[in-house]
Amino acid sequence: MPTIKDITSQPPVKDPYRYNGEALPMNAGAEPITGLRRFYIESYGCQMNFSDSEIVASILSEAGFGPTRNMEEADLILVNTCSIREKAEQTVRNRLTAFRHLKRERPGMLIGVLGCMAERLKSKLLEEEKLVDMVVGPDAYRTLPQLVEEAGDGRKAVNVLLSRDETYSDISPVRINSNGVTAFVSIMRGCNNMCAFCVVPFTRGRERSRDAASIVAECRDLFDRGFREVTLLGQNVDSYCHIEEQTGQTITFAHLLAMTAAINPLLRIRFSTSHPKDITDDVLHTMATHVNICRYIHLPLQAGSTRVLQLMNRTYTREWYLAKVRRIREIMPDCGISSDIIAGFCTEAEEDHQDTLDVMRQSRYDFSYMFMYSERPGTLAARRYADDVPHDIKKRRLEEIVTLQNRLSLESNLADVGQTFQVLIEGNSKRSELHWMGRNSQNKVIVFPKSDLPGKAPGDFADVTVTECTQATLMGVAVTPTPA
Ligand code: SAH
Ligand code: SF4
Ligand code: F3S
């Protein structure tokens, strides 16, 4: 077995949908390994896809494939795709055309489409994209080695079966997109909510929780290997629920948080994503009692008007959402909160849009991921409602939402100036090798000069006093080192 080291030039995706759910190529690569068939993988979409690509890398490595960063020398090109908005799918289709010349030059090379587009379009994708050899849905990655054999024999291979079980519990992901400090750990798959706009329940299937013991074991192993932060991943982490086989005990998300936090005080715990309807006081109190559970909650609003929320089938009202935000701040006054917002959902009127802006102002989000509504075939909204807000109005409303969020982010960052935060160093700052970049508990990026604390390295903690900021970043100076 080749050892797979840190083999990525790309920074890891830290935030969900940070790149708008659209293109974010992730390359797996390593030193050329002679005699091995090589795979190259690119991931698009949410953290779950990036995490799944690490599972795919593990399955293929076990089957005798070696990763490569260079698609020119790959025998197998895999694209892990996203269907969340039309643009995300278009990005993948454009990307596929870029592989055409490679296939001409290397006739035996195979191209596989993985992930949500594979699941949504199934064998139709083979008809639409002639150069694709394999279509593999998110629950079928264990069969990849067989599918590669089939496709290698010239038969197009499709497996889009969804599973009712947590499919990959026992697989140790190969950390191909790792900085060696932070990692994603899947705790559940699928989604049972039926938000009217959303394709995920169709592409990812029913909710399934992974057993707590294997999650804790994976987190402990990461800690032992030097990782200092894990993000527990699921579409709806607050509905995590698993009955332990040996004890018969029901483990809730609050229990799971406490179990992972107990691994070591130096291991930070994050999670994503919380549905506002499901995040309980139990979870908030568990966060408050463990300093190593990060003070940060991604709490997608989607829309601020109760009427639109009802059409979206979000199951909460604007007042209920605002009460949840107040509750978070009551229990953890220093908690960071971010959101997802959709502009121009079906029937959205100007007053509904104003309601969204109003909830944003009241919630004082630290940051948000903001999108124009994009109708997805087969969803409740596509079947029931007309996509009736004209594009230019959607665009203008999105611009207003973005402008407001920029102001809120700046205000939030200005309030941090003068305060000292514990920062986990992740690596060099993007702009300068003379600066470290890390995050505080609230998930804000903080940059500070390396010369402040000689001898520090990625994975170390530092106390940093914020001296200035932009809307996106805090800049500071390191003070007395935090004892390790
Ligand atoms: N499970 C997560 C969301 C996953 S999708 C949750 O419930 O929070 C990520 C975000 O994409 C959503 O929160 C939503 O804001 C956005 N999104 C989903 N479907 C969309 C669509 N059809 N058009 C535009 N944005 C969409
Ligand atoms: Fe989609 Fe709603 Fe499920 Fe999130 S909770 S994945 S938005 S259906
Ligand atoms: Fe996209 Fe699928 Fe994630 S649709 S956002 S990759 S679950």
Side-chain angles (χ1 to χ4, degrees), residues 17 84-85 197 235 273 300 302 340 342 371-372 374 376:
Y17 333 114
I84 202 81
R85 284 167 288 276
F197 50 79
Q235 292 300 341
T273 301
Q302 313 300 2
D340 288 350
I342 297 177
F371 316 101
M372 264 192 274
S374 161
R376 308 312 294 132

Side-chain angles (χ1 to χ4, degrees), residues 202-371:
F202 303 94
T203 61
R204 293 277 169 169
R206 306 288 294 167
E207 232 163 66
R208 290 143 281 163
S209 296
R210 174 177 170 191
D211 76 285
S214 80
I215 296 169
V216 172
E218 186 175 333
C219 294
R220 183 170 290 127
D221 175 60
L222 285 164
F223 181 78
D224 291 344
R225 286 161 45 202
F227 286 81
R228 290 295 174 263
E229 186 180 292
V230 294
T231 302
L232 307 179
L233 278 187
Q235 292 300 341
N236 185 16
V237 287
D238 300 282
S239 59
Y240 175 88
C241 179
H242 195 265
I243 299 167
E244 290 300 271
E245 235 168 62
Q246 289 186 336
T247 59
Q249 199 194 349
T250 302
I251 310 284
T252 63
F253 183 56
H255 294 140
L256 183 70
L257 276 178
M259 287 161 78
T260 48
I263 291 172
N264 194 297
L266 287 179
L267 181 67
R268 273 182 172 183
I269 313 295
R270 295 190 188 279
F271 55 89
S272 187
T273 301
S274 288
H275 193 299
K277 79 175 162 62
D278 290 322
I279 188 161
T280 59
D281 270 14
D282 235 13
V283 167
L284 301 180
H285 287 303
T286 306
M287 290 176 75
T289 50
H290 293 84
V291 282
N292 58 331
I293 304 181
C294 289
R295 298 290 184 263
Y296 167 63
I297 298 177
H298 184 59
L299 196 72
L301 167 70
Q302 313 300 2
S305 135
T306 297
R307 189 187 67 81
V308 172
L309 283 169
Q310 266 162 2
L311 281 187
M312 286 178 162
N313 200 24
R314 288 291 285 182
T315 73
Y316 52 82
T317 61
R318 88 191 239 106
E319 289 75 21
W320 199 93
Y321 181 93
L322 285 167
K324 191 57 86 179
V325 169
R326 278 196 300 276
R327 189 73 183 137
I328 293 170
R329 298 230 158 96
E330 210 173 284
I331 295 175
M332 288 173 290
D334 61 342
C335 191
I337 303 181
S338 60
S339 191
D340 288 350
I341 296 164
I342 297 177
F345 185 66
C346 316
T347 78
E348 186 187 77
E350 214 46 45
E351 60 183 295
D352 299 314
H353 169 61
Q354 290 303 325
D355 281 347
T356 297
L357 297 173
D358 184 57
V359 177
M360 289 177 70
R361 272 183 223 109
Q362 293 197 53
S363 304
R364 291 179 280 118
Y365 297 125
D366 299 298
F367 43 96
S368 290
Y369 306 95
M370 300 156 281
F371 316 101

Side-chain angles (χ1 to χ4, degrees), residues 343-350 372-373 386-398:
F345 185 66
C346 316
T347 78
E348 186 187 77
E350 214 46 45
M372 264 192 274
Y373 172 59
D387 180 10
D388 56 359
V389 177
H391 185 265
D392 56 337
I393 294 185
K394 280 184 188 167
K395 190 159 168 265
R396 193 255 303 153
R397 288 182 187 161
L398 179 66

